[in-house]
Amino acid sequence: MFDKIIRLSFIFSLIIIIFFAGYISHKYKAKKIFQTLEPLISSLEIFFDIDLDKKLGERQLRKTINKSTPEFDTNFSLRNKPSESFNKFLFIKQDNSGPVLMDNPDNIIWTWSLDKFRNPSKIIPYHLFKNGDLILGRYESKGLYRINKDGKIIWNKNYYNHHWISLDEENLYVPGTLLIDQQDLKDKIYEGSFVKNCESKHKSRFGTIMIIDKNNGRLKEEIFLVDTFYKDIKSREIIEKFSYNCNDTFHLNDVRVLTKQEAKFFNNGQKGDFLVSFRHLDMIALVDKEKHNIKWYVQGKFKYQHSPRITKSGTVLIFDNYYKSGRSRILEIDISSKEIVGYFSNKNFKFFSNTRGRIQLFNDKIFIQSSDQGEIFEIICEDTEYISDEKCKSKFLYSSIFSSFYPNTGVSVEGNYVKDKIYIGDFYKNLNFFK
C-alpha cells in the first residue's frame, strides 16, 4: 500500500513538473503552442488572488523593435515635443505600458493598477467610464474585463476580442474573431465562393460582432458576419467582388452603433445599425441591426483603413492608412454620394501609421491618433465645409518620444531607439473620480 502511494505521488509530481515546464516554455519560447492556457491561467490567478509572474519570475516580453532613428518616423525630439496643457484629460495606453490619465504631455494624474493580470502590457483598454471604470481586453486573445478605478475586477469573460469597441446606454459592441477551417464551410451558401475555395494553409479569421451587457458582461448575441452576409444574395455579391485575402477576409477593426441622428444620413438607416470597417476588403459598410446584411458600403477609395466616424454634416471621416507609399491621410466621404469631398494628409509633417490609426470627434473637434508614430494631433480648419490640406492645419498635442515615465523608452540591445506605439489615446472632460 505504501509503495502504491509512493508511485502515485511520483506520477503526480511528474505531471506537475511537466505542466510547469510547458508553462515556462510558453513564457519564453513556445507561446503559440500554449496560447490556449493563457485565459485559464489568468482566471485561476484572479480566483486565487495569486501572481504566477511574481512567483516564477518576471518575463521580459518580446517587443517589436523600431529599428529607425527617432528622426525617421516622428516629428519631434526631446527639445521640441508638445508640452502644452490639454485643458482636458488624455486617456492613453501605449503598447508596453499601462493605461494612464494625463492633464498635460508630461503629467500623469491617475494610473490604473493591472496587478491582477498576467502580462499587463497585453491588456488593452477600450473605454473609460466617468466613474473611473475601464473596459479591458486581452490583446489578440480571449479575455474581456471590467475593472474599477482601483483595479478591482468587476467582471471577466472568456471572449475573443479584437480592436476598438463602441457602446450605448446598455451594451458594448465588440469586434470578435471566429477561426474557421474551409472544410467546415459546408452550407450550400458557400458553394463556389472565395472563402470556400481560396488556398489557405491554416484556418481563416472572420470578424464577428459581440453584443455584451456592459454591467455584467453577459453575451447577449454574437453576429457571425460570414454567415449572415452569404445568406443574403446582395451581400454575398459584394463580398465576393472585393475579397482577396484568404486568411483574413473579414478583418473587422471597428464597429460603431448608429445614433438616431447619424441614421438619418443614410437612405435606409436605422438607429442601432452598425457602421463597420473591414481592413482586408478596403471597405466600410452599414450593417442592418436585424437582418445583418449590407445595406450601404464604400470600397476601394482607401487602403487598410481604420476608424470611420460620422460627422454632423453627413460625411464620414476615415483613417486611410495607405494613402500612398509611406503616407497616411484622413479622408472625408459624403454618405449620400459616396464621393470623396475632402482629405487632409498633413503634408508639412511626417504622417504614416502602418497599423491602427484612430479618429476621435470630441467637442466638435477632430483629433487624430497616428498610432505607429506615437503622436496625437488636432485638425484645425478655417472657412471650409470639408477638410483639406489647403484650408486646414495640424496642432500636435502629444508625442511618445522620450516619455521618461514609460519604462520601455530607451534603446534596444542593438543600440536602436525604442518608441512605444499608441493603442488608444482619447480625450475626456468633466472627470473627477481621481479627486
Side-chain angles (χ1 to χ4, degrees):
M1 181 66 180
F2 182 76
D3 290 339
K4 289 183 178 180
I5 294 175
I6 293 296
R7 284 196 295 270
L8 289 173
S9 299
F10 173 79
I11 294 172
F12 183 74
S13 300
L14 186 62
I15 291 173
I16 293 176
I17 292 171
I18 292 172
F19 173 81
F20 278 100
Y23 174 67
I24 291 171
S25 70
H26 156 60
K27 288 179 73 77
Y28 288 95
K29 295 180 180 179
K31 173 185 172 183
K32 290 185 178 179
I33 297 176
F34 293 93
Q35 190 174 25
T36 54
L37 293 177
E38 187 95 11
L40 174 60
I41 293 172
S42 296
S43 298
L44 291 173
E45 287 178 316
I46 292 170
F47 182 80
F48 292 106
D49 195 22
I50 59 174
D51 187 342
L52 291 178
D53 276 330
K54 292 181 179 179
K55 299 290 184 183
L56 301 177
E58 294 287 346
R59 173 176 72 169
Q60 178 64 34
L61 293 174
R62 298 182 181 89
K63 298 181 176 69
T64 301
I65 301 300
N66 180 353
K67 296 183 180 299
S68 63
T69 63
E71 291 79 16
F72 180 75
D73 65 347
T74 66
N75 292 292
F76 300 100
S77 67
L78 176 63
R79 295 182 179 180
N80 69 350
K81 71 175 193 169
S83 59
E84 184 179 332
S85 176
F86 299 135
N87 294 320
K88 44 190 167 288
F89 303 106
L90 175 62
F91 173 60
I92 188 167
K93 161 67 169 85
Q94 300 186 171
D95 275 15
N96 297 295
S97 56
V100 297
L101 191 69
M102 309 174 73
D103 60 0
N104 72 60
D106 296 306
N107 187 48
I108 294 175
I109 59 177
W110 191 263
T111 301
W112 282 265
S113 171
L114 300 183
D115 292 342
K116 296 287 186 182
F117 299 93
R118 296 184 63 249
N119 301 334
S121 66
K122 292 185 177 181
I123 300 297
I124 306 300
Y126 292 133
H127 182 75
L128 166 62
F129 294 94
K130 283 194 173 183
N131 66 353
D133 286 5
L134 296 183
I135 299 296
L136 305 170
R138 185 171 293 279
Y139 182 69
E140 293 290 1
S141 185
K142 290 183 178 181
L144 193 69
Y145 315 88
R146 180 167 180 166
I147 66 171
N148 69 6
K149 65 178 184 178
D150 299 314
K152 180 180 178 181
I153 296 175
I154 298 172
W155 53 256
N156 70 92
K157 301 294 180 180
N158 196 33
Y159 305 145
Y160 197 121
N161 54 93
H162 172 74
H163 248 295
W164 300 304
I165 72 172
S166 63
L167 69 164
D168 58 19
E169 296 81 5
E170 298 180 0
N171 301 316
L172 308 174
Y173 300 87
V174 182
T177 295
L178 176 66
L179 297 175
I180 300 177
D181 192 312
Q182 291 169 308
Q183 296 178 355
D184 295 331
L185 299 174
K186 299 178 181 179
D187 197 294
K188 290 185 178 181
I189 59 175
Y190 298 112
E191 289 182 0
S193 69
F194 173 84
V195 294
K196 175 73 172 178
N197 298 321
C198 66
E199 295 183 4
S200 177
K201 295 181 179 179
H202 51 77
K203 291 185 177 182
S204 297
R205 182 167 75 169
F206 296 90
T208 72
I209 300 175
M210 294 186 290
I211 303 176
I212 298 169
D213 189 311
K214 67 182 183 182
N215 294 314
N216 57 29
R218 180 175 66 87
L219 180 63
K220 295 182 175 180
E221 183 182 5
E222 184 167 16
I223 304 168
F224 296 93
L225 295 175
V226 63
D227 276 352
T228 59
F229 286 174
Y230 273 83
K231 288 177 181 177
D232 179 75
I233 295 176
K234 290 185 179 179
S235 298
R236 174 189 166 120
E237 290 176 350
I238 294 169
I239 299 304
E240 285 292 300
K241 183 177 180 180
F242 301 116
S243 294
Y244 62 88
N245 187 307
C246 188
N247 296 324
D248 199 3
T249 307
F250 288 78
H251 185 116
L252 179 64
N253 60 28
D254 211 328
V255 54
R256 312 298 297 178
V257 181
L258 265 60
T259 64
K260 183 177 180 180
Q261 179 59 38
E262 291 171 338
K264 292 179 180 179
F265 295 127
F266 298 87
N267 286 333
N268 52 355
Q270 302 178 75
K271 178 183 177 182
D273 284 347
F274 307 111
L275 181 64
V276 298
S277 170
F278 296 113
R279 185 181 192 267
H280 291 150
L281 290 170
D282 301 325
M283 177 191 296
I284 64 170
L286 187 67
V287 177
D288 188 88
K289 65 178 181 179
E290 297 171 350
K291 296 180 180 179
H292 306 151
N293 61 307
I294 296 174
K295 55 201 299 187
W296 176 95
Y297 74 94
V298 176
Q299 194 279 339
K301 299 179 183 293
F302 33 75
K303 187 73 172 177
Y304 296 159
Q305 79 293 330
H306 288 77
S307 198
R309 297 293 183 267
I310 298 173
T311 70
K312 292 182 178 180
S313 59
T315 63
V316 58
L317 298 177
I318 302 164
F319 196 109
D320 183 3
N321 290 70
Y322 277 82
Y323 161 46
K324 57 184 179 180
S325 179
R327 296 291 297 184
S328 298
R329 65 176 175 174
I330 306 303
L331 200 62
E332 186 167 12
I333 293 178
D334 180 75
I335 292 174
S336 297
S337 67
K338 302 185 182 181
E339 296 298 326
I340 297 174
V341 293
Y343 71 87
F344 182 75
S345 66
N346 210 9
K347 61 182 181 180
N348 296 324
F349 295 90
K350 299 167 186 174
F351 180 31
F352 178 60
S353 190
N354 179 43
T355 61
R356 307 173 197 166
R358 183 171 170 88
I359 301 172
Q360 184 191 19
L361 302 182
F362 177 74
N363 274 7
D364 295 324
K365 297 180 179 181
I366 304 170
F367 297 100
I368 306 301
Q369 171 188 311
S370 186
S371 305
D372 286 3
Q373 291 178 285
E375 296 176 351
I376 299 173
F377 62 86
E378 179 187 353
I379 299 178
I380 300 175
C381 302
E382 295 182 0
D383 301 323
T384 179
E385 184 177 0
Y386 307 112
I387 60 173
S388 73
D389 278 335
E390 289 70 31
K391 296 287 187 177
C392 303
K393 62 181 180 179
S394 61
K395 178 183 179 181
F396 283 89
L397 304 172
Y398 181 82
S399 171
S400 67
I401 193 169
F402 296 107
S403 297
S404 58
F405 44 79
Y406 289 110
N408 65 301
T409 304
V411 295
S412 70
V413 292
E414 294 88 359
N416 298 310
Y417 177 71
V418 178
K419 169 184 59 62
D420 249 348
K421 299 178 182 181
I422 298 175
Y423 194 89
I424 192 169
D426 283 354
F427 288 103
Y428 288 78
K429 64 177 182 179
N430 301 328
L431 297 177
N432 55 20
F433 67 86
F434 50 86
K435 295 180 181 180

Coordinates of all heavy atoms in Angstrom, one line a residue, residues 232-264:
D232 N -27.4 36.4 -47.7 CA -28.1 37.4 -48.4 C -27.4 37.6 -49.7 O -26.2 37.8 -49.8 CB -28.0 38.7 -47.6 CG -28.6 39.9 -48.3 OD1 -29.8 40.0 -48.3 OD2 -27.8 40.7 -48.9
I233 N -28.2 37.5 -50.8 CA -27.6 37.5 -52.2 C -26.8 38.7 -52.5 O -25.6 38.6 -53.0 CB -28.7 37.3 -53.2 CG1 -29.4 35.9 -53.1 CG2 -28.1 37.4 -54.6 CD1 -30.6 35.7 -54.0
K234 N -27.3 39.9 -52.2 CA -26.6 41.1 -52.5 C -25.3 41.3 -51.7 O -24.3 41.7 -52.2 CB -27.5 42.3 -52.3 CG -28.6 42.4 -53.3 CD -29.5 43.7 -53.1 CE -30.6 43.8 -54.2 NZ -31.4 45.0 -54.0
S235 N -25.4 40.9 -50.4 CA -24.2 41.0 -49.5 C -23.1 40.0 -50.0 O -22.0 40.4 -50.0 CB -24.6 40.7 -48.1 OG -25.5 41.6 -47.6
R236 N -23.6 38.8 -50.4 CA -22.6 37.9 -50.9 C -21.9 38.4 -52.1 O -20.7 38.3 -52.3 CB -23.3 36.5 -51.2 CG -22.4 35.5 -51.9 CD -23.1 34.3 -52.4 NE -22.3 33.5 -53.3 CZ -21.9 32.3 -53.1 NH1 -22.3 31.6 -52.1 NH2 -21.2 31.7 -54.0
E237 N -22.7 39.0 -53.1 CA -22.1 39.5 -54.3 C -21.0 40.6 -54.0 O -20.0 40.7 -54.6 CB -23.2 40.1 -55.2 CG -24.1 39.1 -55.8 CD -25.2 39.7 -56.6 OE1 -25.4 40.9 -56.5 OE2 -25.9 38.9 -57.3
I238 N -21.3 41.4 -53.0 CA -20.4 42.5 -52.6 C -19.1 41.9 -52.1 O -18.0 42.3 -52.5 CB -21.0 43.4 -51.6 CG1 -22.2 44.2 -52.2 CG2 -20.0 44.4 -51.0 CD1 -23.1 44.9 -51.2
I239 N -19.2 40.9 -51.2 CA -18.0 40.3 -50.6 C -17.2 39.6 -51.6 O -16.0 39.7 -51.7 CB -18.4 39.4 -49.4 CG1 -19.2 40.1 -48.3 CG2 -17.2 38.7 -48.9 CD1 -18.4 41.3 -47.7
E240 N -17.9 38.8 -52.5 CA -17.2 38.0 -53.5 C -16.4 39.0 -54.5 O -15.4 38.6 -55.0 CB -18.2 37.2 -54.3 CG -18.7 36.0 -53.5 CD -17.5 34.9 -53.3 OE1 -17.0 34.4 -54.2 OE2 -17.2 34.7 -52.1
K241 N -17.0 40.1 -54.7 CA -16.4 41.0 -55.7 C -15.1 41.6 -55.2 O -14.1 41.8 -56.0 CB -17.4 42.2 -56.0 CG -16.9 43.1 -57.1 CD -17.9 44.2 -57.3 CE -17.5 45.2 -58.4 NZ -18.5 46.2 -58.7
F242 N -14.9 41.8 -53.9 CA -13.8 42.5 -53.4 C -12.8 41.7 -52.5 O -11.8 42.2 -52.0 CB -14.2 43.7 -52.6 CG -15.1 44.7 -53.4 CD1 -16.4 44.9 -53.1 CD2 -14.5 45.3 -54.5 CE1 -17.2 45.8 -53.8 CE2 -15.3 46.2 -55.3 CZ -16.6 46.5 -54.9
S243 N -13.1 40.4 -52.3 CA -12.3 39.6 -51.5 C -11.0 39.2 -52.2 O -10.9 38.9 -53.4 CB -13.0 38.3 -51.1 OG -14.1 38.5 -50.3
Y244 N -9.9 39.3 -51.4 CA -8.6 39.0 -52.0 C -7.7 38.3 -50.9 O -6.6 37.7 -51.2 CB -7.9 40.2 -52.6 CG -7.5 41.3 -51.6 CD1 -6.3 41.3 -50.9 CD2 -8.4 42.3 -51.4 CE1 -6.1 42.3 -50.0 CE2 -8.1 43.4 -50.5 CZ -7.0 43.4 -49.8 OH -6.7 44.4 -48.9
N245 N -8.0 38.4 -49.6 CA -7.2 37.9 -48.6 C -7.8 36.6 -48.0 O -8.8 36.7 -47.3 CB -6.9 38.9 -47.5 CG -5.9 38.5 -46.4 OD1 -6.1 37.4 -45.8 ND2 -4.9 39.3 -46.2
C246 N -7.2 35.5 -48.3 CA -7.9 34.2 -47.9 C -7.8 34.0 -46.4 O -8.8 33.4 -45.9 CB -7.2 33.1 -48.7 SG -8.0 31.5 -48.5
N247 N -6.7 34.4 -45.8 CA -6.5 34.0 -44.4 C -7.3 35.0 -43.4 O -7.5 34.6 -42.2 CB -5.1 34.0 -44.0 CG -4.3 32.9 -44.7 OD1 -4.8 31.9 -45.0 ND2 -3.1 33.2 -45.1
D248 N -7.6 36.2 -43.9 CA -8.2 37.2 -43.0 C -9.2 38.0 -43.8 O -9.1 39.3 -43.7 CB -7.0 38.0 -42.4 CG -7.4 38.8 -41.2 OD1 -8.6 38.6 -40.7 OD2 -6.6 39.5 -40.7
T249 N -10.1 37.4 -44.5 CA -11.0 38.1 -45.3 C -11.8 39.2 -44.6 O -11.9 40.3 -45.0 CB -12.0 37.1 -46.0 OG1 -11.3 36.1 -46.6 CG2 -12.9 37.8 -47.0
F250 N -12.4 38.8 -43.5 CA -13.3 39.7 -42.7 C -12.6 40.2 -41.5 O -12.9 40.0 -40.4 CB -14.6 38.9 -42.2 CG -15.5 38.6 -43.3 CD1 -15.3 37.5 -44.2 CD2 -16.7 39.4 -43.5 CE1 -16.2 37.2 -45.2 CE2 -17.6 39.1 -44.5 CZ -17.4 38.0 -45.3
H251 N -11.5 41.0 -41.8 CA -10.7 41.6 -40.7 C -11.5 42.8 -40.2 O -11.4 43.9 -40.7 CB -9.3 41.9 -41.2 CG -8.4 42.5 -40.1 ND1 -7.3 41.8 -39.7 CD2 -8.5 43.6 -39.3 CE1 -6.7 42.5 -38.7 NE2 -7.4 43.6 -38.5
L252 N -12.3 42.6 -39.2 CA -13.1 43.7 -38.6 C -12.3 44.5 -37.6 O -11.9 44.0 -36.6 CB -14.4 43.1 -38.0 CG -15.4 44.0 -37.3 CD1 -16.0 44.9 -38.4 CD2 -16.4 43.2 -36.6
N253 N -12.1 45.8 -37.9 CA -11.2 46.6 -37.0 C -12.0 47.7 -36.3 O -11.4 48.5 -35.6 CB -10.0 47.1 -37.7 CG -10.2 48.0 -38.9 OD1 -11.3 48.6 -39.0 ND2 -9.3 48.0 -39.8
D254 N -13.3 47.8 -36.6 CA -14.1 48.8 -35.9 C -15.6 48.5 -36.1 O -16.0 48.1 -37.2 CB -13.8 50.2 -36.4 CG -13.9 51.3 -35.3 OD1 -14.8 51.1 -34.4 OD2 -13.2 52.3 -35.3
V255 N -16.3 48.8 -35.1 CA -17.8 48.7 -35.2 C -18.4 49.9 -34.4 O -18.1 50.1 -33.2 CB -18.3 47.4 -34.6 CG1 -17.9 47.1 -33.2 CG2 -19.9 47.4 -34.7
R256 N -19.2 50.7 -35.1 CA -19.9 51.8 -34.5 C -21.4 51.7 -34.6 O -21.9 51.3 -35.6 CB -19.5 53.1 -35.2 CG -18.0 53.3 -35.5 CD -17.2 53.4 -34.2 NE -17.5 54.5 -33.4 CZ -17.0 54.7 -32.2 NH1 -16.1 53.9 -31.7 NH2 -17.3 55.8 -31.5
V257 N -22.1 51.9 -33.5 CA -23.5 51.8 -33.4 C -24.1 53.2 -33.7 O -23.9 54.2 -33.0 CB -24.0 51.3 -32.1 CG1 -25.5 51.1 -32.0 CG2 -23.3 50.0 -31.8
L258 N -25.0 53.2 -34.7 CA -25.6 54.5 -35.2 C -26.6 55.1 -34.2 O -27.4 54.3 -33.6 CB -26.3 54.3 -36.5 CG -25.5 54.7 -37.8 CD1 -24.2 53.8 -37.9 CD2 -26.3 54.6 -39.0
T259 N -26.4 56.4 -33.9 CA -27.5 57.1 -33.2 C -28.6 57.4 -34.1 O -28.5 57.2 -35.3 CB -26.9 58.4 -32.6 OG1 -26.5 59.3 -33.7 CG2 -25.7 58.1 -31.7
K260 N -29.7 57.9 -33.6 CA -30.8 58.3 -34.4 C -30.5 59.4 -35.3 O -30.9 59.4 -36.5 CB -32.0 58.8 -33.4 CG -33.2 59.2 -34.2 CD -34.3 59.6 -33.2 CE -35.6 59.9 -33.9 NZ -36.7 60.4 -32.9
Q261 N -29.6 60.4 -34.9 CA -29.2 61.5 -35.8 C -28.3 60.9 -36.9 O -28.5 61.3 -38.1 CB -28.5 62.5 -35.0 CG -28.0 63.7 -35.8 CD -29.1 64.4 -36.6 OE1 -30.2 64.6 -36.0 NE2 -28.8 64.9 -37.8
E262 N -27.4 60.1 -36.6 CA -26.5 59.5 -37.6 C -27.2 58.7 -38.6 O -26.9 58.7 -39.8 CB -25.4 58.7 -36.9 CG -24.4 59.5 -36.1 CD -23.5 58.7 -35.3 OE1 -23.9 57.5 -35.0 OE2 -22.4 59.1 -34.9
A263 N -28.2 58.0 -38.2 CA -29.0 57.1 -39.1 C -29.7 57.9 -40.2 O -30.0 57.4 -41.3 CB -30.0 56.3 -38.3
K264 N -30.1 59.2 -39.9 CA -30.8 60.0 -40.9 C -30.0 60.3 -42.1 O -30.5 60.6 -43.2 CB -31.2 61.3 -40.2 CG -32.3 61.1 -39.1 CD -32.6 62.5 -38.5 CE -33.7 62.4 -37.4 NZ -34.0 63.7 -36.8

